[in-house]
């Protein structure tokens, strides 16, 4: 079980985070970036699971700039609320908050970012815009295609569902064409296939993607 922590962004804004420590020596630091549902039960579980793998994991509460303590589920009302909350935050401010989480992990070893949905896009943008990282991994990030011309400064791995109604395969092909250096994998699944609290969860795809993600972290974090 992790615990709540406070983070400070470079512009002075204070936000919460959920931090989980490994049982032994840290293999590295992982910034775990939320979907549009806040640092909810699922994201806390994901953060705990990476700590169980030996990483110091930290999920920043990226909705805190509009409302603190957001923890919502996956029904239509929650989806609509999450979309509105995300739209109310400037991307530049969100990147400051991700940077604050990276800073908070200094001393845990090399640092990576892993994100899901909204967080998948932010993981890619972290690789192109933020210092202090060894690699990033993004799951089904819908904003990536629009930013595909941005060049990552560190190795990147991306996972997409082949039946994602929000991210057409044409977008995935656009990313592949623009960023041949990025490792991109697709799965026989829809959006959110790695979230075991969503109807779209696909166990086989989740496990395959997780295996690739952990191998990627081992390669680039050096543990």
């Amino acid at each position: 079980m992790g615990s709540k922590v406070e983070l400070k962004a470079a512009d002075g804004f204070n936000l919460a985070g959920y931090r989980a420590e490994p049982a032994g020596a840290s293999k590295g630091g992982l910034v775990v970036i939320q979907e549009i549902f806040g640092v909810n039960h699922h994201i806390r579980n994901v953060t705990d699971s990476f700590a169980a793998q030996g990483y110091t994991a930290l999920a920043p509460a990226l909705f805190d700039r509009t409302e603190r303590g957001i923890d919502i589920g996956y029904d239509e009302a929650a989806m609509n609320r999450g979309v509105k909350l995300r739209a109310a935050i400037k991307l530049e401010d969100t990147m400051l908050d991700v940077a604050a989480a990276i800073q908070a992990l200094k001393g845990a070893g090399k640092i990576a970012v892993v994100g899901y949905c909204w967080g998948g896009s932010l993981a890619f943008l972290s690789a192109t815009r933020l210092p202090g990282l060894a690699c990033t991994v993004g799951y089904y990030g819908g904003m990536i295609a629009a930013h595909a011309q941005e060049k990552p400064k560190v190795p990147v791995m991306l996972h997409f569902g082949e039946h994602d109604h929000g991210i057409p395969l044409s977008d995935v092909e656009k990313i592949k064409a623009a960023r041949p250096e990025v490792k991109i994998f697709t799965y026989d699944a829809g959006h959110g296939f790695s979230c075991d609290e969503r109807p779209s969860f696909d166990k086989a795809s989740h496990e395959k993607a997780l295996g690739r993600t952990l191998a990627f972290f081992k390669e680039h974090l050096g543990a």
Side-chain angles (χ1 to χ4, degrees):
M1 292 291 292
S3 59
K4 186 176 179 181
V5 296
E6 288 292 317
L7 310 172
K8 181 183 281 292
D11 65 347
F13 181 77
N14 292 301
L15 66 150
Y18 179 83
R19 181 168 178 147
E21 304 286 345
S26 177
K27 294 180 179 179
L30 293 183
V31 178
V32 181
I33 308 187
Q34 65 181 68
E35 303 167 300
I36 59 167
F37 309 102
V39 181
N40 62 3
H41 181 262
H42 169 64
I43 291 298
R44 294 194 300 273
N45 278 349
V46 171
T47 305
D48 288 339
S49 71
F50 280 124
Q53 293 285 343
Y55 297 98
T56 304
L58 173 59
L62 299 183
F63 280 160
D64 277 11
R65 287 185 183 261
T66 51
E67 185 178 340
R68 288 182 72 96
I70 296 296
D71 179 347
I72 54 181
Y74 298 95
D75 60 17
E76 186 175 357
M79 183 81 69
N80 291 336
R81 186 180 182 198
V83 168
K84 290 179 181 178
L85 286 164
R86 183 188 67 179
I89 305 172
K90 294 179 181 178
L91 178 58
E92 293 77 11
D93 289 340
T94 300
M95 299 311 295
L96 289 176
D97 294 343
V98 176
I102 295 170
Q103 182 64 34
L105 286 170
K106 293 292 177 64
K110 292 182 179 179
I111 301 170
V113 168
V114 58
Y116 304 84
C117 184
W118 182 37
S121 298
L122 296 175
F124 178 80
L125 293 173
S126 294
T128 68
R129 301 184 182 189
L130 299 181
L133 294 173
C135 66
T136 73
V137 176
Y139 283 72
Y140 29 85
M143 297 161 50
I144 298 173
H147 295 274
Q149 294 305 317
E150 295 191 30
K151 183 175 176 59
K153 301 172 184 176
V154 296
V156 176
M157 176 179 285
L158 301 175
H159 305 290
F160 294 98
E162 294 166 2
H163 314 294
D164 190 323
H165 296 299
I167 307 173
L169 286 176
S170 59
D171 275 8
V172 178
E173 291 304 317
K174 178 180 178 181
I175 300 164
K176 287 181 178 180
R179 300 265 64 93
E181 74 277 22
V182 172
K183 291 186 176 182
I184 299 176
F185 299 97
T186 64
Y187 303 84
D188 185 16
H191 191 78
F193 67 77
S194 198
C195 176
D196 60 4
E197 297 185 23
R198 299 177 73 166
S200 55
F201 176 64
D202 186 90
K203 188 172 187 290
S205 298
H206 160 71
E207 291 179 349
K208 186 177 290 187
L210 178 60
R212 287 168 170 161
T213 295
L214 291 173
F216 195 64
F217 289 155
K218 184 176 182 179
E219 176 184 0
H220 296 290
L221 298 182

